[in-house]
């Protein structure tokens, strides 16, 4: 097994790792978008809440409790959104690392390929030089 074959296998593995990281970023971003929509929904509910209406004390207390519940729900939704944003940023970091590792292997593959190309050119040149030298050598023997 040549070095290029081994590097090709490593490169495929790095690309697979990067693809997995991309899908994780996509999932994390979807969760973040959902959390953002949920937060906006809770904020809209709180904005729509008009406060306690005139009435008896029981309905007044119930209205205050409902307002507080809306505020708590909004606070929890914002906390969930922050957590989703942090998870998305972490997944983006994993993706960046995977991409860097893949690029490193790609550069190594390019370097090995270039070294092989140069070695092949040098071998071809040596053969051409030997052929040219043999022809010159044959010509000298006939002239003597």
């Amino acid at each position: 097994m040549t070095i290029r074959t081994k590097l090709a296998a490593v490169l495929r593995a790095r690309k697979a790792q990067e693809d997995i990281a991309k899908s994780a970023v996509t999932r994390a971003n979807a969760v973040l978008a959902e959390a953002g929509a949920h937060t906006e929904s809770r904020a809209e509910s709180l904005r729509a809440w008009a406060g306690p209406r005139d009435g008896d004390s029981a309905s007044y207390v119930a209205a205050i409790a409902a307002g507080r519940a809306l505020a708590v729900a909004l606070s929890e939704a914002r906390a969930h959104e922050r957590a989703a944003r942090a998870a998305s940023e972490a997944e983006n970091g994993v993706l960046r690392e995977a991409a860097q590792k893949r690029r490193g292997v790609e550069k190594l593959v390019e370097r090995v390929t270039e070294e092989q190309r140069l070695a092949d050119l040098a071998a071809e040149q040596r053969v051409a030089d030997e052929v040219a030298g043999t022809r010159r050598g044959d010509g000298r023997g006939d002239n003597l």
Side-chain angles (χ1 to χ4, degrees):
M1 187 179 255
T2 66
I3 185 78
R4 287 174 58 187
T5 306
K6 291 177 184 177
L7 286 175
V10 171
L11 184 57
R12 281 191 304 275
R14 294 289 190 226
K15 285 180 180 179
Q17 289 172 341
E18 186 177 11
D19 289 343
I20 291 168
K22 283 178 185 177
S23 66
V25 166
T26 301
R27 282 190 307 275
N29 287 340
V31 168
L32 177 58
E34 184 179 316
H38 184 70
T39 299
E40 184 56 36
S41 170
R42 295 297 177 208
E44 183 59 35
S45 294
L46 188 58
R47 281 191 294 271
W49 180 70
R53 303 274 188 240
D54 293 337
D56 63 6
S57 62
S59 62
Y60 182 82
V61 170
I64 294 294
R68 287 187 178 179
L70 288 173
V72 167
L74 176 58
S75 177
E76 288 174 352
R78 286 181 177 158
H80 179 66
E81 185 178 9
R82 282 190 302 273
R85 183 170 284 108
S88 177
E89 290 170 1
E91 293 297 343
N92 276 310
V94 170
L95 176 58
R96 276 191 302 277
E97 289 176 15
Q100 286 174 345
K101 288 178 181 179
R102 177 196 42 85
R103 282 192 300 274
V105 173
E106 283 177 342
K107 287 179 182 180
L108 185 58
V109 167
E110 290 171 3
R111 186 173 31 182
V112 167
T113 301
E114 181 63 14
E115 287 174 359
Q116 183 63 47
R117 187 185 71 79
L118 292 174
D120 291 345
L121 285 175
E124 289 175 14
Q125 185 63 46
R126 281 192 301 276
V127 168
D129 289 347
E130 285 179 16
V131 169
T134 303
R135 285 186 185 157
R136 274 187 260 144
D138 287 345
R140 288 184 189 149
D142 290 339
N143 291 336
L144 291 176

